[in-house]
Amino acid sequence: RVRSDLERQFQRRRDFSRKLSSARERFEAAKANRRQVELERSRSQRDISNRQDTLSMVRMEVDALRDEIGTLVDSAKVMGRESVGRWEKLGDAELLSNIRTERELLRQDERRIHE
């Protein structure tokens, strides 16, 4: 009877040892998975931050261009240019090209005035 009790205790201890080993393996796997998830989260946050910075800069450029467009439109109205009304019908690329042209015309007019 003592021997069978000892054998059962050894068997329980071996079972417990196997379960403990298995639990440790799962724990280590979970820790490795958590590190990977944290690394991906960190990368994602950095990418999001960079994209937010880029978006902020683009918004500032758009606002600056809108201000410049308003100034150019006002100047064109004052100077009596007929092209102002048709700007609303242009696509973005054409509008930007026309804005640059108008800006250059204004700069030329300013140079002539100063000369």
Side-chain angles (χ1 to χ4, degrees):
R1 172 173 164 95
V2 172
R3 182 181 173 133
S4 68
D5 286 343
L6 285 175
E7 285 177 359
R8 268 186 292 199
Q9 285 180 350
F10 285 135
Q11 183 62 39
R12 283 183 20 207
R13 185 173 183 167
R14 279 188 293 247
D15 289 344
F16 177 75
S17 181
R18 276 189 233 120
K19 288 179 182 178
L20 180 62
S21 177
S22 175
R24 283 184 179 150
E25 288 174 6
R26 289 192 315 265
F27 177 69
E28 291 301 320
K31 279 179 27 180
N33 186 39
R34 181 178 182 182
R35 282 191 299 270
Q36 184 64 31
V37 167
E38 286 294 321
L39 187 63
E40 289 175 15
R41 182 187 60 81
S42 177
R43 286 184 196 139
S44 294
Q45 283 180 331
R46 189 175 54 247
D47 289 346
I48 288 169
S49 178
N50 288 339
R51 289 178 186 189
Q52 285 175 333
D53 290 345
T54 300
L55 182 59
S56 177
M57 291 179 67
V58 168
R59 283 182 178 152
M60 287 173 37
E61 288 177 17
V62 166
D63 290 342
L65 283 173
R66 282 186 179 146
D67 291 343
E68 192 170 340
I69 289 170
T71 301
L72 290 172
V73 168
D74 292 343
S75 297
K77 285 178 183 177
V78 168
M79 296 177 71
R81 301 219 191 257
E82 297 176 9
S83 62
V84 174
R86 67 182 181 89
W87 282 17
E88 297 169 358
K89 300 173 189 170
L90 297 177
D92 291 341
E94 292 174 298
L95 179 60
L96 193 54
S97 174
N98 283 349
I99 288 170
R100 288 182 178 134
T101 302
E102 285 293 323
R103 180 177 53 193
E104 188 56 36
L105 288 172
L106 284 173
R107 287 182 181 157
Q108 289 172 3
D109 289 346
E110 284 178 349
R111 278 189 289 249
R112 279 190 231 123
I113 289 171
H114 289 300
E115 292 172 358

